[in-house]
Amino acid sequence: MTDLFFYLSKIFWVIVQPDHFLLLVLVLGLLLWRRLSGVIMVWGSVLTMLALSVFPVANYLLEPLEQRFPKPDLTQLEAPIAGIIVLGGGEEPERSAVHKMPQFNSAAERLMVLPSLMLRYPNAKVIFTGGSGSLLRPEYRGGDVAKQWLTEQGLGARLIVERDARNTFQNALYSREIINELHAAGELDDANQGKWLLVTSAFHMPRSVGVYRKAGIDVIPYPVDYRQFNSTVHLSLNANMAELNQVVREWIGLGAYYLTEKTTELIPGPLASAPLLTGTLDN
């Protein structure tokens, strides 16, 4: 069932992705040019693209997501850290395989922040979860890239790699399985004695926290990879559209996860009481 959700979400996104959708509207408008609806579609898509080439609309959609969870002050945490969970997404698995060296995209900070966190918490378990998000080339996995890069930094021995998850929901499910196995093997203390740092992009944190809470894992959000900037004018259709694609996808994901009961809140936020220090991890 989780694989069906993955495939349907990919197909749906191909259609509604903003740049694809605008192109589709433009093509349909040209085909219906002799009708008023066709003229409206053509001019609507053209004017929208012109506006997007000037104004970074994604900024306004990013703000409520990126500001939802402030980065915690690790020096002030009272609860011990049982481990660190890093969500994949910053790796370029196919390109890494072609060039035979780790390659990364703009979300690379998810992984790049890990050495400093591992240094701060030398006894914490480290889980990296990330497989393939590709429909056509699923054999290339983000987990393989992460393992290679961290091994080159001398940190591979501490890493637990999960390389089968294809979306955020599966990230949480497979993380849950790993944590259960660690408890069963006696490699973790009682669940109440430690929390898990959750590392992912700031705009992706609300959905990630919601899914992990639903999976029974109490996490401390550690957002990275901030995309929002203060400029109200940014003359680049390519850059503006790329950010808009990313944030629209995230908002759609929040809605889809809520409607399919993968999260209990539409926009998960900090817990009302002691957000960083309370909660349990159910086995």
Side-chain angles (χ1 to χ4, degrees), residues 217-259:
I217 306 173
D218 190 24
V219 295
I220 298 175
Y222 192 83
V224 296
D225 178 35
Y226 288 85
R227 307 292 182 89
Q228 186 189 11
F229 52 92
N230 294 324
S231 175
T232 55
V233 176
H234 187 207
L235 299 175
S236 174
L237 176 61
N238 181 56
N240 291 345
M241 185 63 76
E243 292 295 340
L244 183 62
N245 285 342
Q246 190 72 67
V247 70
V248 167
R249 182 174 180 231
E250 193 59 32
W251 277 106
I252 290 175
L254 281 166
Y257 273 42
Y258 179 69
L259 292 174

Side-chain angles (χ1 to χ4, degrees), residues 9-189:
S9 66
K10 288 292 183 180
I11 294 171
F12 176 75
W13 178 241
V14 168
I15 299 172
V16 302
Q17 184 173 321
D19 50 359
H20 291 179
F21 183 75
L22 286 173
L23 180 59
L24 178 61
V25 171
L26 178 60
V27 171
L28 289 175
L30 291 173
L31 292 175
L32 300 172
W33 180 250
R34 294 181 181 275
R35 302 180 183 180
L36 177 61
S37 59
V39 174
I40 292 174
M41 283 191 287
V42 169
W43 280 108
S45 59
V46 170
L47 292 175
T48 299
M49 284 189 282
L50 285 175
L52 290 174
S53 68
V54 177
F55 299 104
V57 178
N59 256 6
Y60 302 102
L61 297 175
L62 280 168
E63 183 175 6
L65 298 180
E66 293 199 336
Q67 301 305 316
R68 191 68 169 168
F69 290 96
K71 183 172 291 187
D73 183 353
L74 299 181
T75 64
Q76 300 298 316
L77 294 183
E78 297 177 10
I81 299 299
I84 305 165
I85 300 173
V86 182
L87 303 191
E91 315 78 39
E92 293 287 349
E94 187 172 352
R95 190 179 301 169
S96 298
V98 170
H99 296 288
K100 294 181 173 55
M101 62 183 300
Q103 302 289 307
F104 302 96
N105 56 40
S106 60
E109 191 179 349
R110 298 187 189 187
L111 192 60
M112 301 304 164
V113 74
L114 194 48
S116 63
L117 291 177
M118 293 173 76
L119 183 63
R120 176 181 287 272
Y121 301 108
N123 298 318
K125 299 294 182 182
V126 180
I127 300 173
F128 179 93
T129 169
S132 171
S134 173
L135 282 174
L136 302 177
R137 307 299 294 271
E139 65 271 22
Y140 298 106
R141 314 287 181 93
D144 298 334
V145 180
K147 183 175 182 179
Q148 181 183 351
W149 186 77
L150 284 169
T151 299
E152 291 174 356
Q153 314 310 310
L155 299 171
R158 290 184 55 193
L159 187 67
I160 301 171
V161 176
E162 185 289 303
R163 59 190 296 276
D164 293 323
R166 309 192 74 180
N167 55 31
T168 309
F169 179 61
Q170 293 183 4
N171 285 142
L173 288 183
Y174 295 143
S175 296
R176 172 78 273 175
E177 291 180 2
I178 292 172
I179 292 172
N180 285 343
E181 291 171 0
L182 290 172
H183 276 290
E187 296 185 36
L188 284 176
D189 295 330

